[in-house]
Amino acid sequence: MPDPRRAIPRTDALLAEPRIAKFAETLGRDLVKAAIQAAQQAARAGEIAPGDVVDGVLARLPASAASLRPVINATGVVVHTNLGRAPLSAAALDALVAAGGATDVEFDLATGERARRGRGALAALAAAVPAAGAVHVVNNNAAALLLCALALAPGREIVVSRGELVEIGDGFRIPDLLASTGARLREVGTTNRTSVRDYADAVGPDTGFVLKVHPSNYRVAGFTSEAALSELAGLGMPVVADIGSGLLAPHPLLPDEPDATSALRAGATVVTASGDKLLGGPQAGLLLGDADVVERLRRHPAARALRVDKLTLAALEATLRGPRPPVRAALDASVASLRERAENLVRALEGVDARVVSCVAAVGGGGAPGVELPSVAVSLPARYAAALRTGEPAVVGRVERDRCLLDLRTVRPEEDAKLREAVRRCG
């Protein structure tokens, strides 16, 4: 009997096969060749017939040349760090595509001369926070704080409360970040109580600035006190306020979450914040404040190493100028609308053990710790969690009391149909 493996198509023949060849244009030859080799190996192992190798190749081709997979966030965590934090608005996504080619990011089309980089995004940010004398953007909030230390406190002291020496995730700690710049931390107060007098006693000729950090990913409750920004502003030293979550103005659902506008009006010299949390935009570090100080930060040599690319600038501007981003929509969604969507989904899942349940969502992303957002979920047997997570599209929910909850506060309404089909495929 002839060896059936001799019937397995050769690599060059498969690369030339029309149904496969077209993918080399979109995915690249290397990815297509890897899928071919995997299908050939499956045929040699007897897992598929030689005549099914072409279909085997097509089944193994990835959806795109990038390994990141789209995910439907049904966790109930609005700003989920592990899922990329803020999902971008349609306007921001369109801006990313437009900025993908050659753009006028640093060029004036009218004069044909060089122009200020990202001027549109900076103008949009300045318009969103009129209380700021000037604005600048770097690649994340940690970079914004790093730049402040490099420019305002080289070899000098940064006065900060012991209760605000926070760890921001994955083992990174603000004290280590600041110390890496050569600045010295002058810790004042205690873990639970720090007064303006503690700061005043520490401030002196060697002070670079006073740092006020919002403990955005934890709460200290009980016998506590802290100095207000307005009190620190009266010490005669620059005050850098790290508000963290990127809220630019007060939000009625988050009364205890600091915002950039209020911080500046209270006397902060510079406010640092994130772009990919409550603002709902791309990853970025926002610097807002005194015009002279922000210009000093912008002109520091390290600012070049921390600058953002054209894609970030485009997405940030579209987020600021465009329609309500998904994060804001998720925060503002009414429980009644969530319940109506959940009931429609359950009705469409006839034959599936699906129920409508009330639940609690969270802001996440190091913002508004302890704030509970009333929400509604579709409840399924726990076994659905893994099947949905590994399906197409991937759906990430959470398991509570042996049930898989798909929290609709973090699922965009336009994703409901995909969510319904994903559940059906797991049934």
Side-chain angles (χ1 to χ4, degrees):
M1 294 290 291
D3 189 339
R5 290 176 294 183
R6 293 181 180 276
I8 297 172
R10 300 190 316 273
T11 299
D12 57 347
L14 290 168
L15 285 169
E17 209 281 341
R19 287 180 295 166
I20 295 174
K22 65 180 182 180
F23 285 99
E25 297 295 322
T26 56
L27 298 178
R29 183 182 174 88
D30 289 344
L31 283 177
V32 172
K33 193 171 180 179
I36 287 173
Q37 291 170 342
Q40 289 171 326
Q41 184 57 38
R44 293 187 191 102
E47 297 169 6
I48 60 175
D52 294 333
V53 168
V54 172
D55 289 338
V57 173
L58 296 174
R60 287 167 171 78
L61 289 172
S64 74
S67 62
L68 289 177
R69 290 182 60 194
V71 170
I72 294 178
N73 176 12
T75 64
V77 179
V78 177
V79 182
H80 199 302
T81 296
N82 302 132
L83 299 182
R85 291 187 176 165
L88 296 179
S89 66
L93 292 173
D94 288 343
L96 283 174
V97 174
T103 71
D104 61 344
V105 63
E106 216 168 317
F107 186 75
D108 189 325
L109 294 171
T111 64
E113 298 177 352
R114 183 173 181 166
R116 185 177 180 185
R117 181 181 179 86
R119 56 202 178 279
L122 295 173
L125 182 57
V129 190
V135 300
H136 186 57
V137 180
V138 291
N139 52 28
N140 61 23
N141 189 41
L145 195 54
L146 183 78
L147 188 58
C148 288
L150 288 169
L152 305 180
R156 304 180 71 190
E157 289 185 345
I158 298 172
V159 180
V160 60
S161 169
R162 286 188 174 87
E164 297 174 6
L165 298 174
V166 303
E167 182 173 307
I168 57 178
D170 198 24
F172 290 98
R173 296 175 172 177
I174 292 295
D176 297 338
L177 177 76
L178 296 174
S180 72
T181 69
R184 302 187 305 278
L185 294 185
R186 181 74 179 271
E187 301 174 19
V188 299
T190 63
T191 303
N192 59 319
R193 293 178 66 83
T194 306
S195 68
V196 67
R197 172 55 56 190
D198 293 319
Y199 290 93
D201 290 344
V203 164
D206 207 27
T207 302
F209 62 86
V210 174
L211 175 61
K212 179 70 174 170
V213 180
H214 174 55
S216 58
N217 55 6
Y218 68 96
R219 289 186 303 167
V220 177
F223 186 56
T224 66
S225 67
E226 61 179 301
L229 267 175
S230 56
E231 295 178 305
L232 299 181
L235 296 177
M237 289 289 173
V239 178
V240 174
D242 177 6
I243 65 170
S245 68
L247 199 61
L248 299 186
H251 190 289
L253 287 178
L254 309 171
D256 297 324
E257 189 71 8
D259 66 275
T261 297
S262 299
L264 290 169
R265 288 176 177 168
T269 309
V270 175
V271 171
T272 70
S274 296
D276 57 348
K277 295 182 180 179
L278 292 178
L279 177 60
Q283 177 179 297
L286 313 180
L287 288 150
L288 314 101
D290 179 84
D292 291 339
V293 175
V294 171
E295 179 63 13
R296 184 175 167 188
L297 298 173
R298 188 181 77 84
R299 298 304 304 171
H300 191 277
R304 173 74 181 215
L306 303 176
R307 79 176 188 178
V308 295
D309 70 344
K310 60 181 180 178
L311 301 180
T312 300
L313 291 168
L316 178 61
E317 181 177 0
T319 299
L320 291 163
R321 296 195 187 279
R324 184 176 61 169
V327 164
R328 186 61 184 256
L331 289 175
D332 295 344
S334 70
V335 173
S337 68
L338 297 176
R339 186 169 297 280
E340 181 180 3
R341 289 170 54 201
E343 290 171 348
N344 289 338
L345 280 167
V346 168
R347 277 194 295 269
L349 293 171
E350 186 177 355
V352 176
D353 179 11
R355 313 167 193 168
V356 177
V357 298
S358 297
C359 62
V360 175
V363 174
V371 171
E372 295 185 342
L373 304 172
S375 191
V376 180
V378 173
S379 172
L380 301 165
R383 65 178 179 81
Y384 276 80
L388 287 168
R389 201 171 56 243
T390 55
E392 184 60 45
V395 177
V396 181
R398 68 179 189 268
V399 176
E400 290 183 3
R401 299 178 181 178
D402 204 34
R403 298 286 293 183
C404 172
L405 300 188
L406 305 179
D407 193 322
L408 296 189
R409 185 170 287 279
T410 54
V411 177
R412 299 196 294 274
E414 59 269 26
E415 295 176 316
D416 283 358
K418 290 183 179 179
L419 182 63
R420 181 184 65 239
E421 293 308 312
V423 174
R424 281 178 174 167
R425 283 193 290 271
C426 296

